[in-house]
Amino acid sequence: MISTLALSLPCLVLLGGSPWTHQGPLPTGLDLHDVEVISPTEAWITGEADAVYHTTDAGMTWTEHPLASASSWDLFFVDPQHGWVAGNEIFRTTDGGQNWVKSPTTLGTVNAVHFIDPLRGWAAQSNAVHRTVDGGLTWQAGLLPKHATCHGLFFVDDKIGFVANIDGEVFKTTDGGANWTTVLSSGGFNLNTVWFADPLVGYVCASDRVHATTDGGSSWQTLPLPPGTSWMYGGEFLDAQRAWLVGAGGEILVTTDGWSSATVQSTPASHSLFWGVSFADAQFGLAVGEE
């Protein structure tokens, strides 16, 4: 059954005028874990319920697409037609989300997926990163040096990739995920977003800081977030200069200089927590989270 509903996204309004507005007339009670914005009008969201939701009117109304999964944690589209939802199961669409097919290979809980084209992609678990070359029908595992929940995953190309865990460690592969080496032990917590502009320049985001590298992870610079910032749980990069982080207290941080500085774009609110954020361009984005 596919149904359409007005779904509330917890985007806070800053008194005196905010760049963020609350979408939907009523809250649904759903905890939303991730969002993927395709264009200024089209987006997908996923969360605790056994469904994904699709909008074609910039978030004012949403169409529900049920999935046979208890909870989903990550959502990734490599183009408007090819997307994946990962969590207790992995689902794939090849027709823009009209149909979702469950992967016949069961991996267990997956927290992050990344694809570089409709066939080649990776899925991160606590102890391994699995690779597929057939769009997710089959997977091959590459073991990680340490067992810890991984939320950040990014591949620059078919060979070079990075994955980050909640214990503050970053691992790198140069052979497509078969083998991984440790390139950062930050001492921080909750590394959650990885993004690279090319094989050398990249960022890894944590709860209270951002780590930057210009040599492919051989060395890192730590960039602290503004004082008093709550824990950040998700991020989005447009390029090496423009990015956003979202997290506890309803905070949304934006940078236009590669995290040398950052601005708080929303008023903190203790009842809200953002898990994910995605942008179509520098102007249109969606942030999702609890309830």
Side-chain angles (χ1 to χ4, degrees):
M1 177 180 180
I2 298 176
S3 61
T4 300
L5 68 160
L7 187 63
S8 173
L9 300 186
C11 302
L12 303 182
V13 178
L14 179 64
L15 296 179
S18 170
W20 293 88
T21 57
H22 186 201
Q23 295 288 94
L26 297 171
T28 65
L30 294 176
D31 283 352
L32 303 174
H33 297 150
D34 200 20
V35 53
E36 185 84 350
V37 175
I38 307 298
S39 73
T41 57
E42 184 181 8
W44 291 85
I45 57 176
T46 191
E48 66 175 354
D50 55 349
V52 291
Y53 299 85
H54 182 218
T55 182
T56 56
D57 57 11
M60 297 310 299
T61 60
W62 296 83
T63 301
E64 178 184 5
H65 295 256
L67 301 178
S69 178
S71 184
S72 299
W73 287 98
D74 200 28
L75 179 63
F76 189 92
F77 273 78
V78 72
D79 59 45
Q81 297 301 309
H82 296 87
W84 295 261
V85 175
N88 296 357
E89 306 284 351
I90 296 178
F91 293 82
R92 177 180 68 158
T93 181
T94 59
D95 58 8
Q98 293 306 305
N99 296 280
W100 292 87
V101 178
K102 184 168 68 173
S103 171
T105 303
T106 300
L107 301 180
T109 301
V110 170
N111 292 305
V113 291
H114 186 91
F115 279 75
I116 59 173
D117 59 37
L119 296 178
R120 296 176 294 173
W122 295 262
Q125 291 185 295
S126 297
N127 65 337
V129 175
H130 301 261
R131 180 181 180 178
T132 181
V133 294
D134 54 18
L137 297 177
T138 61
W139 300 85
Q140 299 80 41
L143 295 181
L144 296 174
K146 181 181 176 181
H147 190 291
T149 300
C150 296
H151 285 299
L153 177 65
F154 191 94
F155 269 76
V156 180
D157 53 34
D158 189 55
K159 300 297 184 183
I160 300 175
F162 300 82
V163 64
N165 66 28
I166 61 174
D167 285 348
E169 293 161 318
V170 179
F171 309 114
K172 179 181 180 179
T173 181
T174 57
D175 58 10
N179 298 280
W180 295 84
T181 59
T182 304
V183 294
L184 176 65
S185 296
S186 67
F189 295 97
N190 193 38
L191 300 186
N192 55 70
T193 301
V194 181
W195 183 87
F196 273 73
D198 55 46
L200 298 179
V201 177
Y203 298 85
V204 177
C205 303
S207 296
D208 60 352
R209 69 196 75 175
V210 174
H211 302 283
T213 181
T214 57
D215 55 16
S218 296
S219 63
W220 298 84
Q221 178 187 8
T222 299
L223 307 171
L225 298 178
T229 299
S230 298
W231 277 49
M232 298 291 106
Y233 290 104
E236 168 82 335
F237 283 78
L238 282 187
D239 52 44
Q241 300 300 312
R242 297 173 296 174
W244 293 260
L245 288 176
V246 298
E251 287 187 336
I252 302 174
L253 302 182
V254 61
T255 184
T256 58
D257 57 13
W259 295 110
S260 294
S261 64
T263 302
V264 179
Q265 281 197 332
S266 68
T267 301
S270 60
H271 64 279
S272 296
L273 185 153
F274 291 119
W275 289 112
V277 60
S278 180
F279 272 75
D281 51 39
Q283 301 303 316
F284 180 77
L286 293 172
V288 300
E290 287 186 341
E291 301 180 352

